[in-house]
């Protein structure tokens, strides 16, 4: 359950964000919700000051700045909007391309030290008043840089799990390629994967888990430009790889 908005010190800041939270308390689901809560509600409608949502997944990348981690005040409407990590409470907050933000990694990490340790964050109103808010989420830092060049030992201790994602083997690469084809409703062709390994990966180029997605997107764009139906064949993949694997 996510509060629609919170009142503090005569100020209001919104938490529920329809672009982040997917509500499950729609009008069609209200009878089930009334049964689950097992409490009388006026007119059989739940208290909509709290919204029942699926666990949120909030992603941010190189555009992340320190200002985005604090309350944003709308002077005209006289209310605040909760920062991204507060909207991610109860779910996942993914910081992609860590180390490539405008703000330095050290400043960004110093901002996270206390929340990661205490599971509480402190936000500041324009009046200078501070308020504590829960920091209960799975936070993930994703980077292709050397973590030892970005963070110190003290911060690494606060990140309990470190997982290295290496290059996929042939079987895993094939599974990823097949999945990407299914998501795009493109018939999978094993000959195309064999062509990629025969021409590139078996000759020293390291396969990446993102290659199937990128190659299929390029192949689709080629077909759109040529105004032809998408058919996954070796000739089309050869054109896509020439554009994607080219060394400038």
């Amino acid at each position: 359950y996510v509060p629609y908005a919170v009142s503090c010190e005569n100020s209001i800041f919104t938490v529920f964000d329809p672009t982040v939270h997917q509500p499950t308390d729609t009008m069609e689901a209200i009878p089930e919700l009334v049964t689950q809560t097992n409490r009388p509600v006026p007119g059989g409608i739940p208290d909509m000051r709290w919204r029942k949502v699926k666990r949120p997944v909030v992603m941010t990348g190189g555009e992340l700045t320190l200002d985005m981690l604090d309350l944003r005040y709308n002077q005209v409407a006289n209310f605040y909007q909760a920062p991204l990590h507060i909207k991610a409470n109860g779910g996942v907050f993914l910081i992609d391309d860590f180390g490539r933000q405008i703000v330095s990694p050290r400043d960004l990490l110093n901002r996270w030290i206390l929340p990661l340790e205490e599971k509480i964050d402190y936000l500041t109103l324009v009046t200078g008043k501070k308020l504590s808010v829960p920091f209960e989420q799975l936070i993930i830092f994703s980077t292709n840089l050397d973590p030892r060049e970005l963070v110190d030992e003290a911060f690494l201790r606060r990140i309990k799990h470190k997982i290295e994602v290496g290059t996929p083997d042939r079987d895993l690469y094939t599974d990823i390629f097949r999945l990407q084809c299914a998501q795009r409703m493109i018939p999978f062709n094993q000959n195309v994967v064999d062509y990629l390994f025969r021409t590139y990966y078996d000759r020293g180029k390291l396969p990446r888990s993102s290659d199937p997605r990128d190659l299929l997107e390029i192949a689709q764009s080629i077909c759109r430009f040529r105004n032809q139906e998408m058919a996954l064949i070796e000739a089309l993949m050869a054109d896509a790889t020439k554009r994607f694997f080219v060394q400038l």
Side-chain angles (χ1 to χ4, degrees):
Y1 284 92
V2 175
Y4 194 93
V6 176
S7 176
C8 179
E9 295 291 327
N10 296 322
S11 299
I12 296 175
F13 71 89
T14 60
V15 178
F16 176 78
D17 186 343
T19 63
V20 172
H21 300 112
Q22 184 177 350
T24 59
D25 56 355
T26 58
M27 294 303 295
E28 293 79 6
I30 283 179
E32 179 183 353
L33 289 173
V34 173
T35 303
Q36 291 176 354
T37 56
N38 196 25
R39 60 187 174 89
V41 289
I45 300 178
D47 187 350
M48 300 303 285
R49 292 176 296 182
W50 290 84
R51 302 301 303 270
K52 187 177 183 181
V53 301
K54 292 185 177 180
R55 292 190 182 276
V57 177
V58 179
M59 298 179 60
T60 183
E63 74 280 4
L64 181 64
T65 62
L66 288 178
D67 294 341
M68 298 171 63
L69 301 179
D70 212 339
L71 291 170
R72 285 178 288 176
Y73 181 58
N74 187 321
Q75 191 172 5
V76 176
N78 191 29
F79 74 94
Y80 299 83
Q81 187 174 14
L84 292 176
H85 60 289
I86 301 304
K87 295 179 181 179
N89 263 328
V92 175
F93 186 37
L94 171 60
I95 302 176
D96 198 10
D97 287 332
F98 179 64
R100 302 186 185 276
Q101 284 74 26
I102 298 176
V103 60
S104 70
R106 185 174 299 275
D107 291 340
L108 187 59
L109 294 176
N110 287 336
R111 174 65 177 82
W112 292 112
I113 289 273
L114 182 63
L116 286 173
E117 186 76 21
E118 304 292 340
K119 300 298 182 183
I120 293 176
D121 194 18
Y122 293 90
L123 303 178
T124 306
L125 303 174
V126 293
T127 59
K129 174 72 175 181
K130 288 186 176 293
L131 62 146
S132 61
V133 292
F135 187 82
E136 292 287 347
Q137 59 202 254
L138 174 62
I139 183 168
I140 300 175
F141 296 91
S142 172
T143 182
N144 55 10
L145 303 176
D146 188 347
R148 292 169 294 185
E149 298 178 359
L150 300 175
V151 300
D152 54 23
E153 186 66 26
F155 190 83
L156 283 175
R157 288 198 303 268
R158 290 170 169 82
I159 302 178
K160 301 298 189 296
H161 303 278
K162 295 90 172 175
I163 303 173
E164 180 180 4
V165 180
T167 57
D169 57 23
R170 186 164 186 154
D171 291 338
L172 179 57
Y173 186 95
T174 302
D175 290 340
I176 296 174
F177 206 104
R178 183 181 287 106
L179 176 63
Q180 290 294 321
C181 286
Q183 291 178 348
R184 291 167 173 76
M185 293 183 291
I186 300 173
F188 174 73
N189 186 352
Q190 180 64 45
N191 293 333
V192 169
V193 176
D194 295 338
Y195 164 81
L196 290 173
F197 275 87
R198 183 175 65 252
T199 309
Y200 293 98
Y201 300 135
D202 289 341
R203 295 187 175 184
K205 185 171 184 60
L206 292 177
R208 295 175 298 183
S209 299
S210 59
D211 283 354
R213 176 200 63 194
D214 296 334
L215 287 171
L216 286 173
E217 288 179 352
I218 295 173
Q220 286 181 305
S221 66
I222 292 174
C223 291
R224 286 195 300 268
F225 179 78
R226 295 174 178 173
N227 195 25
Q228 67 183 35
E229 185 178 353
M230 176 66 186
L232 195 58
I233 57 177
E234 290 188 20
L236 176 60
M237 189 53 58
D239 287 341
T241 53
K242 289 178 182 178
R243 290 158 172 77
F244 187 57
F245 292 147
V246 64
Q247 296 295 324
L248 300 178

